[in-house]
Amino acid sequence: MSDASLSGLRPGDTPSSSPVTRFAALRREIASPSLSFLMEAHDGLSAKIVQEAGFRGIWASGLTTSASLGLRDSNEASWTQVLDVLEYMADATTLPILVDGDTGHGNFNNVRRFVRKLCERGIAGVCIEDKLFPKTNSFIGEAQPLADVDEFCGRIKAGKDSQTDDDFTLVARVEALISGQGMEEALRRAEAYHRAGADAILIHSKKADADEIFTFAERWAGRAPLVIVPTMYYATPTELFRQAGISTIIWANHLLRASITAMRETAARIHEDQSLVRVEGSVATVKDIFRLVGNAELEEAERRYLPARPAPGAIVLAASGGEMGGLTLDQPKCMLDIRGQSLLQRLVGTLRESGVRDVTVVRGYRKETVSLQGIRTLDNDRHAETGEAWSLACAREAIRGETIIAYGDVLFRRYILDSLLTSSADVVVAVDTLGAQPRPGKRDLVAADRRFSGDYLDDRPAHLRLMAHEVAPGELCGEWMGLARFTARGAEWLREEIAAMEMEGLLEGADLPALLTRIATKHPVRVKYFTGHWLDVDTLTDLAEARNFT
Ligand code: SPV
Ligand code: MG
């Protein structure tokens, strides 16, 4: 049975009239005197988009459902395959769905079974058309044969007798105008279908103007709700349909048509360019996909149902000032604004999305400006004369259990962090293969025992040999992104190495590459290769790029 849903409520509805089922919601839309709209969808995702746009009901189009499967609108998809698509759509939304039931997939007996199954899956209504199985789309050819009126009335009665929810809606579609049989035949058929028990009449037309729709509506005189599909007479102002007393307009195929245009353009561009650069800004983000399909809910459920594993912590090194002129006069780099959020806020946001909750930020330069809700701060008050290793040592107590270490001026796509978090290595550093081509500035360059093979599926591990600002060209494998992950064991090695460097008097002046290189001489430090999808902010150009980094 359907979910109870509030989706059919109008703003004026009283709470006592809720909750309504999807069946009742569709019935209300179609039976209400005001004009309603159903928007086409053909799968779970498009159904979600219909709901997101604010529509109150869905038209599960036969044309677009079959086309999205690569099939013709000629009953090539079996009715059970249609039912499966409908189930995805119903699961994806709370909206009521009116399904295009074509001819009912056979005679009265097929309609009975179809309607029972629709009710079981919470599909609020069906529209059946007075043609013969297998059907042909109304916009193909002329004078398609129509069903015998009495036989079609039998299909309608069988459908209504089989509904298992009183509010299920059966719409009878009159094809007489489409097949050139004239207005009188259309009215005769509509009247017969109404008497047979149809809840509404869909009067279809393929003319470019709506004259015959208006004539029909006038002569029909509101005997039952009228539904129309203005695909061909699209230029007619909607207000005229309202004035003509039309109950429901179906926008029948426009999401599929829009997606065909978008997919075609995108495919052509990628094919031509052999690159994604030109399309990246014009396609939905991967994040948007995650949002649409409800990944946030899954994460919450995982917290509720999966055995808790200690969440990783993170230490963000943000003690140095950065040399970006006036921009870093009063604040460190990590507080620079990147489209309404500080760099730090964005970095912490990415950490949180990957389940890293406990974030410690080591402040130094203009420390009073470094604040963010939910983070812990520790201070390196000697930031002017010490290096990164010293800053990290200030957060020594936070190097416990699984730990992420990140520079405070980097942004990276979440998958990079996720990939480190799922690594089996005790210490793993994210290395950009592009760093193998020298860029200006002070970079954390990497030499490893194996170069990136060019194949991301090649999971043979590479290990750090040396990380430094200078690496012999023949040895250079990439650039460290300023992001590393340590397991509890790796964190122990890190603490031990900090202590050893302190004993040797080397800690104050050391940077993280020196620290990591020392660990690598004693323990395996895995190198995980990536290509792009991150940036650090050292220059105004970097800052501009960061503002485009979503
Ligand atoms: C559909 O959307 O599949 C319809 C409407 O039946 S039409 O294509 O106009 O016939
Ligand atoms: Mg159809």
Side-chain angles (χ1 to χ4, degrees):
M1 258 323 225
S2 76
D3 305 337
S5 137
L6 296 177
S7 56
L9 286 183
R10 294 177 184 286
D13 283 345
T14 57
S16 63
S17 63
S18 63
V20 291
T21 65
R22 288 202 246 212
F23 296 96
L26 181 65
R27 176 162 288 277
R28 254 191 230 197
E29 289 298 322
I30 290 181
S32 80
S34 59
L35 183 60
S36 304
F37 302 93
L38 299 180
M39 182 73 216
E40 174 263 328
H42 48 274
D43 57 15
L45 188 67
S46 53
K48 279 180 185 292
I49 287 168
V50 170
Q51 179 152 16
E52 204 176 58
F55 283 98
R56 298 154 66 103
I58 292 173
W59 167 247
S61 155
L63 170 67
T64 67
T65 299
S66 41
S68 70
L69 297 169
L71 298 176
R72 290 164 284 217
D73 188 13
S74 305
N75 295 123
E76 290 185 339
S78 73
W79 71 271
T80 54
Q81 288 169 332
V82 171
L83 207 57
D84 287 343
V85 174
L86 289 169
E87 187 170 52
Y88 285 112
M89 290 168 63
D91 286 349
T93 65
T94 55
L95 292 184
I97 299 172
L98 176 66
V99 59
D100 178 356
D102 293 334
T103 59
H105 302 280
N107 71 1
F108 79 93
N109 192 36
N110 305 91
V111 172
R112 291 197 299 189
R113 190 161 163 75
F114 189 45
V115 166
R116 277 201 301 273
K117 292 291 155 190
L118 292 176
C119 288
E120 275 174 19
R121 303 213 185 179
I123 307 304
V126 68
C127 174
I128 55 171
E129 62 200 51
D130 53 357
K131 293 204 303 226
L132 305 174
F133 182 89
K135 58 80 54 92
T136 302
N137 184 274
S138 302
F139 302 140
I140 295 175
E142 298 297 330
Q144 290 185 24
L146 297 188
D148 172 77
V149 173
D150 291 337
E151 187 275 328
F152 190 67
C153 285
R155 282 188 242 168
I156 294 169
K157 284 187 194 135
K160 288 305 289 177
D161 287 346
S162 305
Q163 67 188 47
T164 54
D165 190 294
D166 289 346
D167 287 320
F168 182 82
T169 298
L170 188 147
V171 179
R173 167 164 155 180
V174 175
E175 289 280 299
L177 299 178
I178 295 271
S179 66
Q181 300 209 10
M183 187 60 66
E184 297 311 319
E185 179 65 6
L187 284 160
R188 184 177 82 86
R189 284 176 173 264
E191 179 57 28
Y193 304 160
H194 176 42
R195 281 173 192 271
D199 298 295
I201 299 297
L202 189 159
I203 181 68
H204 206 9
S205 167
K206 60 179 177 182
K207 287 181 59 184
D209 63 57
D211 291 355
E212 60 185 12
I213 293 293
F214 291 132
T215 305
F216 184 94
E218 197 181 340
R219 294 193 53 193
W220 181 249
R223 271 173 276 174
L226 275 189
V227 181
I228 62 168
V229 185
T231 304
M232 293 301 174
Y233 47 97
Y234 61 85
T236 311
T238 300
E239 190 48 36
L240 296 186
F241 297 130
R242 196 172 270 120
Q243 284 166 17
I246 301 298
S247 153
T248 303
I249 293 180
I250 292 175
W251 310 120
N253 45 43
H254 300 79
L255 291 196
L256 184 77
R257 285 165 63 188
S259 66
I260 290 171
T261 308
M263 287 194 282
R264 202 175 262 149
E265 275 173 12
T266 304
R269 214 163 251 196
I270 295 174
H271 181 254
E272 199 180 305
D273 295 358
Q274 298 192 349
S275 159
L276 302 176
V277 169
R278 259 205 310 161
V279 303
E280 182 61 27
S282 60
V283 296
T285 60
V286 173
K287 236 184 194 164
D288 196 12
I289 302 176
F290 294 154
R291 188 191 56 77
L292 272 166
V293 299
N295 274 45
E297 188 281 334
L298 178 58
E299 276 171 26
E300 198 191 304
E302 281 171 354
R303 281 195 285 281
R304 214 167 332 125
Y305 298 121
L306 287 178
R309 90 180 170 114
I315 299 171
V316 176
L317 300 179
S320 68
E323 290 124 26
M324 293 185 60
L327 286 176
T328 49
L329 215 52
D330 299 325
Q331 59 183 8
K333 261 194 300 189
C334 68
M335 295 312 287
L336 288 176
D337 182 82
I338 309 288
R339 288 196 293 146
Q341 285 190 334
S342 65
L343 195 50
L344 182 64
Q345 201 169 356
R346 287 189 179 271
L347 171 61
V348 170
T350 308
L351 290 166
R352 294 226 167 102
E353 278 173 22
S354 288
V356 181
R357 305 258 162 255
D358 183 7
V359 179
T360 302
V361 177
V362 182
R363 311 182 299 181
Y365 179 75
R366 298 272 184 256
K367 66 179 182 186
E368 65 289 349
T369 62
V370 180
S371 70
L372 188 65
Q373 218 183 359
I375 61 163
R376 198 156 63 106
T377 55
L378 292 171
D379 297 335
N380 175 6
D381 289 324
R382 296 181 52 216
H383 62 91
E385 74 263 13
T386 58
E388 293 150 359
W390 188 264
S391 287
L392 183 59
C394 292
R396 206 183 307 228
E397 60 181 272
I399 308 173
R400 217 177 310 106
E402 188 179 5
T403 306
I404 299 289
I405 309 279
Y407 284 154
D409 61 353
V410 293
L411 288 178
F412 45 82
R413 294 231 189 282
R414 183 184 147 185
Y415 81 90
I416 293 176
L417 178 58
D418 288 341
S419 164
L420 298 193
L421 284 167
T422 50
S423 166
S424 59
D426 285 309
V427 184
V428 55
V429 293
V431 172
D432 187 356
T433 57
L434 293 178
Q437 292 138 28
R439 289 196 290 154
K442 215 164 89 178
R443 305 279 157 200
D444 295 341
L445 302 177
V446 167
D449 61 2
R450 203 175 60 77
R451 279 215 166 71
F452 176 54
S453 65
D455 176 3
Y456 290 97
L457 298 178
D458 176 2
D459 54 8
R460 283 172 302 155
H463 293 99
L464 183 72
R465 279 202 182 126
L466 169 70
M467 191 189 288
H469 298 316
E470 281 183 24
V471 166
E475 299 275 297
L476 185 57
C477 296
E479 175 182 352
W480 185 42
M481 299 181 191
L483 184 67
R485 175 258 194 177
F486 301 77
T487 61
R489 190 150 77 126
E492 226 170 88
W493 298 341
L494 179 60
R495 278 199 314 273
E496 281 166 14
E497 204 50 48
I498 289 172
M501 288 177 88
E502 196 170 27
M503 288 267 291
E504 295 166 38
L506 296 174
L507 192 64
E508 288 190 18
D511 56 14
L512 283 197
L515 177 55
L516 287 166
T517 302
R518 280 183 59 123
I519 296 174
T521 59
K522 300 175 187 162
H523 308 283
V525 172
R526 179 84 58 87
V527 167
K528 183 104 191 156
Y529 288 117
F530 302 90
T531 301
H533 293 167
W534 74 289
L535 51 86
D536 59 355
V537 178
D538 283 332
T539 62
L540 288 177
T541 315
D542 294 341
L543 187 61
E545 264 179 45
R547 288 182 172 144
N548 289 327
F549 192 90
T550 48

